[in-house]
Amino acid sequence: MAIRLSGSSEKGSPMDKPEAEALYDSGKAPTVERLLQLDDENKALKAKIAALSTDSTNSSKPPSSDGPQVSRPKKKKSSRSRGGQKGHKGHKRELLPADRMDNIVDHYPDACSNCAAEMDPGNCPETSEPTRYQIFELPKIKPIATEHRCHELECEICGHTTRAELPAEVAQTQFGPRVHGAVAYLTSVHKIGRRGIVEIMNTLFGLNLCVGSVCNCVDRVSPELEAPAQEARQALPGAVNLNIDETGWKCKGDRRYLWVFVSPLAVYFSIAASRGARCSKPFWAMFLMALSLPMIIPPTMHTTRAGYASFAGLT
C-alpha cells in the first residue's frame, strides 16, 4: 500500500515526526525511495556549500574571482630590516672608460673648505685623481624623414616623357625597416596591443601611426620570419627536453588552440583549430617521432592525455 505524504513529495520540503512515522509505516519501497531522494539533496547542498566556501586562498581560483568578504592571510612580519642586510655584498654599476663617454664635465672647488680662500684650478695643484660619477640619458629621438621625388624627363630622340618609378621597398609602405622591426618586437616579445604601440610610437619616437599601419607592419614582417621559425621547429626534435602544452585562443571570434613547444634553446608556437589528435598531429607528430626520450603521461593530466599518448605511440 502506497501512502502519499503531505508536504514530503516535493524535493527539499521539510518533514516532521508524524510524516516520518507515516513514511516508516508505508513500507520498504517508499522509505528507500525517500532516503535516496534525501541523499541526492544532501549531496547537492554539500556541493553548493563547497563552491561557496572556496576562494583563491584555498583553491586554484584566481584572486579576481574573490568577493569582498574574502580576507587573505597577512604575511608574517620579518625580523629583518628593510633594504640590504649586514654583510650583503653590494652591487653597483661599473664605471665605463673615459673614451666611451660622450661628454666629460669637470668640477673644481670654488673655495677652501678650511680657510675659505678662493681656489683657482690653474694655480692650485691637483693632489689626487678626481672622483668619477657617470649618468646616462636617452637621446632626444626625432624620426628621420626622407622624401622621394620621382622626376619626369623628356626623351631627346622621340620627345616622349617618362617619370621615374618608386623603388619597390618605398612603394609598399611609408615606414622604414627599423620602424617595422620595433613594431614587431613590441608586439611579439612584449605582447603590447596595437593601440598601445600607436601610443608608444607617438609618445617616445614622435612618429604618428594609426592602428591599421601597425597591423600592416606586422603583416609585412611575418613572412620574413618564416625561415627562422622553420629553423626553430626543425631544431626541436634534437632537444634533450621538450615540453608541450596548449591553451584556448580566439581568432576572429572563432575558437582555436595555441600550442607551445619549449626546448632549452627554442620556443615554437602554432595555432590549430582543435586540441585533438587529428587536428594537431600534422604539425607536431614529427617532433615526437624524432624524440629518443620516453614520454611520460601523468595520470592527472587533463582530457587531452589520450591525444598526447597516441602521438607518442603509447596507445
Side-chain angles (χ1 to χ4, degrees):
M1 178 180 65
I3 300 176
R4 180 181 178 86
L5 298 177
S6 175
S8 63
S9 60
E10 296 296 330
K11 185 177 180 180
S13 59
M15 179 185 296
D16 54 20
K17 183 176 180 180
E19 290 176 338
E21 292 176 349
L23 175 63
Y24 178 79
D25 294 336
S26 64
K28 178 180 178 180
T31 303
V32 171
E33 182 181 356
R34 180 55 176 160
L35 289 175
L36 293 175
Q37 180 184 357
L38 292 174
D39 183 63
D40 292 339
E41 294 177 7
N42 186 40
K43 291 178 180 178
L45 289 173
K46 286 183 177 180
K48 290 182 179 180
I49 294 173
L52 292 174
S53 60
T54 56
D55 51 55
S56 62
T57 64
N58 56 17
S59 69
S60 60
K61 288 184 175 181
S64 58
S65 65
D66 291 341
Q69 75 282 358
V70 177
S71 59
R72 295 180 181 85
K74 294 183 179 180
K75 294 183 179 179
K76 293 182 179 180
K77 188 176 181 180
S78 175
S79 58
R80 295 184 177 184
S81 59
R82 292 186 179 182
Q85 305 299 309
K86 291 183 179 180
H88 171 71
K89 186 179 180 180
H91 298 279
K92 60 182 180 179
R93 185 184 297 274
E94 296 294 332
L95 292 174
L96 299 179
D99 57 2
R100 293 186 58 184
M101 292 291 100
D102 297 300
N103 301 293
I104 295 179
V105 181
D106 291 310
H107 302 275
Y108 296 92
D110 296 326
C112 177
S113 60
N114 183 42
C115 66
E118 292 187 1
M119 305 184 75
D120 184 358
N123 299 326
C124 299
E126 192 163 354
T127 57
S128 64
E129 291 293 325
T131 56
R132 302 167 61 204
Y133 181 77
Q134 297 175 348
I135 64 171
F136 300 87
E137 177 63 290
L138 292 174
K140 184 178 180 180
I141 300 175
K142 182 179 180 297
I144 302 173
T146 303
E147 179 178 292
H148 293 262
R149 298 180 177 182
C150 298
H151 296 270
E152 185 181 65
L153 300 177
E154 181 180 345
C155 180
E156 296 179 346
I157 298 176
C158 66
H160 181 74
T161 58
T162 303
R163 187 175 298 277
E165 296 182 357
L166 282 172
E169 64 275 9
V170 177
Q172 291 179 355
T173 176
Q174 292 181 305
F175 306 104
R178 281 191 289 271
V179 176
H180 282 72
V183 169
Y185 173 74
L186 293 173
T187 300
S188 59
V189 178
H190 296 285
K191 310 297 185 293
I192 298 178
R194 305 298 193 260
R195 297 187 186 278
I197 294 177
V198 169
E199 183 178 350
I200 290 174
M201 287 294 176
N202 188 10
T203 304
L204 297 183
F205 304 115
L207 195 61
N208 292 323
L209 278 78
C210 64
V211 175
S213 297
V214 173
C215 295
N216 291 336
C217 287
V218 173
D219 291 341
R220 294 189 192 98
V221 173
S222 296
E224 303 299 326
L225 299 177
E226 289 184 2
Q230 290 301 320
E231 184 179 352
R233 173 175 175 169
Q234 293 171 3
L236 291 176
V240 177
N241 299 311
L242 182 60
N243 301 298
I244 306 171
D245 199 5
E246 41 70 35
T247 186
W249 186 267
K250 286 287 186 179
C251 183
K252 296 181 180 180
D254 295 331
R255 181 72 170 178
R256 294 291 186 269
Y257 289 90
L258 176 64
W259 289 83
V260 61
F261 306 84
V262 182
S263 74
L265 297 178
V267 179
Y268 183 80
F269 293 90
S270 185
I271 299 176
S274 171
R275 62 180 180 180
R278 178 177 299 179
C279 187
S280 54
K281 187 174 182 178
F283 64 79
W284 72 287
M286 55 169 289
F287 302 151
L288 299 180
M289 291 173 60
L291 289 177
S292 59
L293 297 175
M295 184 176 181
I296 301 175
I297 307 297
T300 57
M301 185 177 288
H302 50 70
T303 54
T304 58
R305 63 180 181 272
Y308 283 70
S310 65
F311 296 153
L314 301 179
T315 59

